Amino acid sequence: MSASTIVHPAGQGTDADGVLEVRDLAKHFPKGDQDLVALREFSITVRPGQFLVLLGRSGCGKSTLLNLMAGLTRPTSGQILYRGTALSGPSTEIGYLTQHDTLMPWRDVTRNVEMPRELRGEGKRSRREEAQRLIELVGLGGFEHHFPRELSGGMRRRASLARMLAADPETLLLDEPFGALDAQLRTELQGELLRLWQGTGRTVVFVTHDIEEALLLADRVVVLGPVGSVLLDVDVDLQRPRDPDEVRVDPRFVALHKSLSVALKEGAR
Amino acid sequence: MSAATTTDAGTAGPGSAGPLQVRTARGFREKHGRRATVWAWRAGLLVALVAVWQVLSGPVLDPQYVSSPQGIWERLAGWIADGTLWTNTWITIQEIVLGFLLGAGAGAVLAYLIAPIRVVWTILDPYVMALYAIPKVALAPLFIVWFGIGTDMKVLLAAVSVFFLVFINTAAGVHQVDSALVDAVRLMNGSRRDVALKVVLPASMTGLLTGLRVSIPYALIGAVIGELVASNRGLGFLISDSSAKFDTDGVFATLLVLSVIAMVLNGLVGLIDARTSRWKPLDT
């Protein structure tokens, strides 16, 4: 049928149907009488249930891409299909954890976490219960009535994570979520993220500039170069669960680390 | 050594990185020592000033010009006895409160209506600033023509002074709303109404409260200036009336009452301040 060839242009029709399909995406930011190109001709297909890590140095358009995928900004050209339909704005099926905390400073942890359900019009009682469950889940029990200002960076991340999960999204977009945390805390939260993801069938798109983090978490790593060019696209075939201390000496890990590192360096030239 | 620390009440955060909450017991000195010293000095300074004034007034300084604590006290007692003080103070207080409510209400409502619409705000901005810059005393003659010399004129003069401060500060609060917070609500599929009520309104509260805080003294200034310019009642009238009779005691007595009112208003400001700091946004 000719219709199907339109939906799946040559070169992408071979992929299994993705949750997220990004096609020829470009994003320009007007600046004076020039355009700043953040992303150019970017295409990717994210398969359902996949943990995809986008690896790239800062300024390669990673955050721009996630903003587009979340529906917060509109692309200059190209399109993003979510489950086959073009994305036209934010959707509650897609959860987005931004790099910086966006908890409402005037709401305590509980009221922040329950907010997605509050906006959905859910009753107070059931959304409180769900918020409580999620707060326990991310390990913030006992801090329900603390305000964001009174929490440490790691605890705010946990609260943000809980708030994102409260909307019950099928797809999670995470933009360097643990970038600002110390190494121990980062390892701990990475473990918890994997625990939250495994067995749920959720699709995750995780952005980072940290090769080890990418290899610890990912099913598949895509290395991005300048303006969103794909430098490398590899499947990570390391056994799960990956112990952060043991996996580092795994020869396969070392080999992958090397090739990712080489790809990143190439992109810098 | 009156300080004792008990660690049994400590609760650790998740993981080992969380902060520890510890109950501590401190003696009166540690808790209130500094405050007590400050207040003692304040009282001492006041007493010393009044004493020096009383001693110098007469032998060194002419009481006709500088009055004296005793003279002020006698005048106040006389005014309290014949009701002059309370009638005039009550009128001024009414003008302050009405003017403040009117100006603050109008300023806040208009700011919330206009500020979110960026284009309208940009167009109006220079005019708002131009009007804001007018010394409000300069409006008094005009207000007399428009509203007469009754209390209306004073209330409106106070209201105008308050209006601009509240309007401008609230608008600034609306404009400083963190766009990331707005995006967060958009990600939850929030409507424009959700954004307005759950983000812009609470986030701009700091601006509104700042406006209220800085404008309280201006309500007093506006009312008293109105009374000084034209009136036959109120504290401003008492000042101009006393000075016309070369009654320095009366002028100082009224000034004393005005500063007491100012201190009470300042206390209200302090209450608002305590409230504002609870809303303080995240420092990231």
Side-chain angles (χ1 to χ4, degrees):
Chain A
M1 280 233 298
S2 60
S4 66
T5 50
I6 293 168
V7 181
H8 300 292
Q12 294 192 340
T14 50
D15 263 329
D17 269 358
V19 191
L20 266 169
E21 283 191 60
V22 179
R23 290 187 190 158
D24 301 322
L25 204 66
K27 179 69 183 173
H28 297 190
F29 293 104
K31 194 182 182 207
D33 48 5
Q34 282 182 319
D35 261 13
L36 210 73
V37 181
L39 214 58
R40 192 169 59 193
E41 289 169 15
F42 180 80
S43 298
I44 200 170
T45 302
V46 189
R47 284 186 291 275
Q50 188 173 54
F51 199 121
L52 170 72
V53 170
L54 297 172
L55 182 70
R57 304 166 68 109
S58 42
C60 71
K62 292 174 298 187
S63 297
T64 309
L65 181 60
L66 276 204
N67 279 335
L68 289 165
M69 282 180 168
L72 277 181
T73 48
R74 309 285 307 138
T76 309
S77 64
Q79 62 171 186
I80 297 169
L81 299 181
Y82 184 74
R83 295 201 178 281
T85 49
L87 199 69
S88 58
S91 150
T92 44
E93 287 179 22
I94 306 177
Y96 183 17
L97 189 59
T98 46
Q99 205 168 344
H100 301 289
D101 288 308
T102 57
L103 296 169
M104 310 290 148
W106 50 85
R107 284 174 170 244
D108 62 19
V109 170
T110 303
R111 302 241 304 128
N112 261 299
V113 172
E114 71 178 9
M115 207 177 173
R117 284 169 182 262
E118 180 184 328
L119 295 194
R120 214 184 269 174
E122 192 171 314
K124 189 166 187 166
R125 202 145 148 207
S126 74
R127 70 180 196 233
R128 276 280 144 90
E129 273 169 22
E130 179 62 11
Q132 188 57 43
R133 191 185 70 79
L134 287 165
I135 288 168
E136 303 284 350
L137 189 73
V138 299
L140 270 184
F143 288 83
E144 289 86 352
H145 299 297
H146 282 62
F147 286 86
R149 197 155 59 91
E150 301 160 342
L151 300 177
S152 67
M155 290 159 88
R156 287 206 288 266
R157 288 277 82 180
R158 289 169 196 267
S160 304
L161 198 63
R163 185 181 70 177
M164 179 182 72
L165 294 173
D168 204 15
E170 296 183 309
T171 301
L172 310 180
L173 308 176
L174 306 151
D175 187 3
E176 302 195 21
F178 313 134
L181 307 176
D182 66 71
Q184 278 74 26
L185 198 54
R186 194 182 316 157
T187 313
E188 194 181 314
L189 284 178
Q190 283 163 350
E192 282 180 35
L193 176 64
L194 285 177
R195 195 164 52 79
L196 289 171
W197 164 72
Q198 267 159 350
T200 57
R202 284 182 174 128
T203 311
V204 179
V205 179
F206 189 105
V207 158
T208 185
H209 58 255
D210 183 336
I211 298 177
E212 287 197 6
E213 182 169 59
L215 287 175
L216 272 174
L217 299 174
D219 286 331
R220 174 188 174 200
V221 179
V222 171
V223 183
L224 296 180
V227 290
S229 55
V230 175
L231 299 173
L232 191 69
D233 186 343
V234 286
D235 287 329
V236 180
D237 43 8
L238 295 163
Q239 196 107 45
R240 288 186 195 274
R242 300 171 190 161
D243 184 277
D245 295 317
E246 283 168 23
V247 81
R248 279 193 183 95
V249 293
D250 187 318
R252 184 71 193 128
F253 179 94
V254 177
L256 280 167
H257 193 290
K258 174 115 194 193
S259 58
L260 292 179
S261 167
V262 168
L264 270 181
K265 264 188 205 127
E266 241 167 57
R269 270 193 304 202
Chain B
M1 282 266 290
S2 53
T5 309
T6 53
T7 44
D8 54 79
T11 44
S16 52
L20 200 66
Q21 294 177 3
V22 196
R23 192 193 304 276
T24 52
R26 295 191 186 88
F28 175 85
R29 262 202 119 133
E30 279 143 284
K31 263 199 265 186
H32 309 294
R34 221 184 86 83
R35 271 175 74 90
T37 319
V38 167
W39 277 102
W41 272 97
R42 280 176 183 163
L45 207 61
L46 184 67
V47 171
L49 202 78
V50 169
V52 170
W53 189 358
Q54 183 63 45
V55 170
L56 291 186
S57 183
V60 185
L61 303 164
D62 185 353
Q64 194 65 274
Y65 289 101
V66 300
S67 180
S68 70
Q70 198 194 346
I72 295 168
W73 179 247
E74 276 159 13
R75 177 52 36 87
L76 273 179
W79 276 351
I80 290 168
D82 68 6
T84 315
L85 184 75
W86 179 240
T87 341
N88 289 298
T89 308
W90 178 232
I91 283 166
T92 304
I93 289 175
Q94 277 175 307
E95 289 164 358
I96 294 170
V97 171
L98 279 177
F100 178 76
L101 292 179
L102 201 64
V109 168
L110 269 180
Y112 278 119
L113 288 179
I114 293 176
I117 315 165
R118 206 65 203 223
V119 192
V120 179
W121 173 260
T122 315
I123 293 170
L124 293 180
D125 186 38
Y127 301 118
V128 171
M129 284 302 158
L131 291 175
Y132 167 58
I134 296 176
K136 302 301 173 288
V137 206
L139 293 175
L142 195 62
F143 275 32
I144 293 172
V145 176
W146 287 350
F147 310 111
I149 58 161
T151 35
D152 289 355
M153 183 266 274
K154 287 92 183 174
V155 169
L156 287 166
L157 207 57
V160 169
S161 314
V162 170
F163 170 82
F164 282 100
L165 286 165
V166 172
F167 181 69
I168 287 169
N169 278 293
T170 309
V174 170
H175 290 147
Q176 279 160 13
V177 172
D178 186 353
S179 62
L181 297 185
V182 175
D183 280 347
V185 171
R186 286 180 58 212
L187 284 169
M188 300 172 201
N189 249 359
S191 59
R192 287 176 67 95
R193 195 166 161 270
D194 288 329
V195 171
L197 291 181
K198 313 232 164 184
V199 182
V200 177
L201 192 64
S204 61
M205 210 47 84
T206 348
L208 172 62
L209 289 176
T210 309
L212 296 181
R213 188 166 60 85
V214 296
S215 68
I216 285 181
Y218 284 87
L220 174 70
I221 294 171
V224 173
I225 281 175
E227 289 170 353
L228 279 171
V229 173
S231 73
N232 48 19
R233 305 182 291 175
L235 292 174
F237 163 75
L238 269 190
I239 291 181
S240 60
D241 187 53
S242 305
S243 74
K245 293 179 194 150
F246 224 79
D247 170 15
T248 346
D249 288 346
V251 175
F252 273 98
T254 323
L255 287 178
L256 183 66
V257 175
L258 274 177
S259 24
V260 169
I261 295 178
M263 276 166 73
V264 171
L265 292 180
N266 239 342
L268 292 178
V269 170
L271 288 182
I272 293 182
D273 255 349
R275 182 98 194 124
T276 327
S277 54
R278 278 187 52 197
W279 290 75
K280 222 180 259 166
L282 274 172
D283 304 311
T284 36

